[in-house]
Amino acid sequence: MTEQDQRTETAPSSETAPNAETVLRAEAMLTPDGVVTDAELAFDADGRITYAGPARPASVVTHELAGRVLMPGLVNGHTHSAMTLLRGVSDDEGFMPWLAAVQSLEQHLTHEDVAVGLQLAMVEMIETGTTAFADMYHWDAELIELVRSAGMRVLAAPASFSPEIVGFPSVSPWNGADATDETEALAERYANDPQIRIAYGPHAPYTCPPEFLSDIARRAVERGIPIHTHISESAAEVEQILERYGATPGDHLESVGLFEASVLAAHCVHITDREIELFARTGTAVSHNPVSNLKLGNGIARLPELMDAGIRLTLGTDSVASNNSLDLFEEIKTGTILHRGARQDAAIVRAADVIDIATSRGAEAIGFPETGALEPGRLADVIALDVTGSAATPFDPASLVSHLGFGATGADVREVFIGGRHVYADGAHTTLDAAAIRDRATAARHRLSEAAAAATD
């Protein structure tokens, strides 16, 4: 029996009747206006929030969530989902040796591997409270349909490197030119889908030739399709671009016209004051990935300066090959305390700001502005966390932001609704067969390891 079967047998559906409201009652709730205690959230059959505030005596409550708190679903602003199969590869190496180790396994990935890696990532993301994510890897309609079926939202960017290079030879015959054309076809196909956004995915300025980047920038402007790329992730990358083009990565990308389009830039660890001003002026969004940046020894991005400049921000995990976890609560805590320690200033970054980056600001940055906050009119992307455990005791609802910023973990998530759809109910998946996916992922990783070992013999 799958988790979905168990859910059907043991608990009532949130869809009690046509056009009926779903009403959640919880200990507390995080809203744009602050913390509400003895809280109630209601949304209609279209998954749109109709009420968010103190409990109303006359409400017909469909989900009584005693011992739980509500907050917006988390937004992962940068990851490579299929790389869940590469978790734990080269954990103690620097960026370039790590990249080489990862690529040695990636060359043996099949399309089925990418599919199960994506599904495993969605299992983990839903379990830890993520409802939307921005992803760069191989993407096609078959993979996107897996996301739609699971109920999540995605900004999917098919990765590309140059017009001639085939990025994932054992997955797809697409070269960079093909990936660019397919990106446009996918954008047209999913133009009105509330769960799906499509972006071009030129990997980085050190892997993509200028002419290719310039062509993508032109097409992005013409078609209104955003661009998702890596910028200044490592000091080695910056040095390489300086030697090759006589400019920093940001300045180089400006020269090829990239920032005339809408850009989501991942990492941005080693950027200059001028590049920060450039990003602010062009409306470029930045995905801050603190744990990945630290694990790979790449440094600490300048989050306080990015915030002061009014940069559009989101919070990301990067892949589990460079992080090991897709738990955004770990990113929230690390992203808050990291800069306090580095700057020796406990007030320089507040937990409330980083939570906002992981929810409302992140949702806007990756193309889902109707989500990200619990207020009437927004779509009901909402998660419920248990606050009865030891790490939450004693729980003071007035200190909810403090708990979410410093004490909560993804393991506390018990309920997940996306657009009103109940995809995780009392710790059980309703749209994914998690046990079967984990088994398939384990077998796939074993096969990849054997194939990589055979190739080196």
Side-chain angles (χ1 to χ4, degrees), residues 131-208:
T131 55
F133 61 108
D135 193 283
M136 180 198 294
Y137 213 66
H138 175 77
W139 281 98
D140 55 32
E142 181 179 339
L143 297 169
I144 288 172
E145 288 302 314
L146 294 177
V147 178
R148 292 185 71 253
S149 176
M152 294 193 75
R153 304 186 198 277
V154 66
L155 172 68
S160 57
F161 301 89
S162 79
E164 302 82 14
I165 291 178
V166 177
F168 304 95
S170 56
V171 176
S172 165
W174 295 355
N175 59 23
D178 297 327
T180 302
D181 291 340
E182 292 295 334
T183 296
E184 292 161 7
L186 291 171
E188 182 175 356
R189 175 170 177 168
Y190 292 100
N192 298 310
D193 194 305
Q195 292 175 234
I196 311 299
R197 300 289 183 270
I198 303 296
Y200 296 102
H203 176 260
Y206 67 94
T207 53
C208 296

Side-chain angles (χ1 to χ4, degrees), residues 114-130:
V114 172
V116 73
L118 167 62
Q119 289 179 305
L120 179 60
M122 290 192 291
V123 166
E124 184 177 353
M125 284 191 281
I126 289 172
E127 288 175 352
T128 54
T130 293

Side-chain angles (χ1 to χ4, degrees), residues 204-227:
Y206 67 94
T207 53
C208 296
E211 299 80 9
F212 184 54
L213 291 167
S214 183
D215 181 57
I216 288 177
R218 176 186 57 80
R219 296 165 74 149
V221 171
E222 290 176 354
R223 294 164 175 79
I225 300 173
I227 295 170

